[in-house]
Amino acid sequence: MDGVDGAQYGGEVFESIGRSEGHTTTTEMGSGHFPGEGDNKAARFINVEVGNPSTYAYERPEKIGTFIMSPGCYDLQTLEIDQSGEYFFYGGPGKSQTCP
């Protein structure tokens, strides 16, 4: 991709109630389902593109990297599909059996 070194995006779930006692938030991210639950349950981004300031065009990223702070609470799964580009599933329920 000409002229672009990288693009960053992120999400955050925040709940002030109970945080001082160390409780995990019950707030869902995305649809509230983990990425592994698939297309009809998990939230997703499709046809990911970034704006190139040199050409004023949108282009598919060459590579999508991930960083997940609380994988027991929320997660992300990237997938690549033929000509349609790259997409990813994301989300989670918040406080649950895997996220105390």
Side-chain angles (χ1 to χ4, degrees):
M1 197 180 291
D2 285 340
V4 177
D5 293 328
Q8 294 182 358
Y9 52 89
E12 179 180 15
V13 173
F14 178 77
E15 179 179 66
S16 61
I17 299 171
R19 294 294 283 177
S20 61
E21 293 89 36
H23 297 275
T24 302
T25 178
T26 57
T27 304
E28 298 174 347
M29 179 181 282
S31 65
H33 293 272
F34 282 112
E37 295 182 60
D39 212 5
N40 291 321
K41 292 195 176 194
R44 69 179 176 166
F45 277 91
I46 59 173
N47 301 327
V48 177
E49 296 181 323
V50 293
N52 184 328
S54 299
T55 62
Y56 300 102
Y58 289 100
E59 301 174 3
R60 292 184 187 151
E62 293 174 8
K63 182 179 180 184
I64 294 178
T66 61
F67 175 75
I68 296 115
M69 292 179 65
S70 302
C73 304
Y74 310 104
D75 207 358
L76 184 139
Q77 177 183 13
T78 61
L79 301 164
E80 191 171 332
I81 53 175
D82 304 334
Q83 302 298 325
S84 299
E86 203 153 1
Y87 67 99
F88 60 88
F89 291 111
Y90 70 98
K95 188 173 184 172
S96 65
Q97 291 180 348
T98 60
C99 181

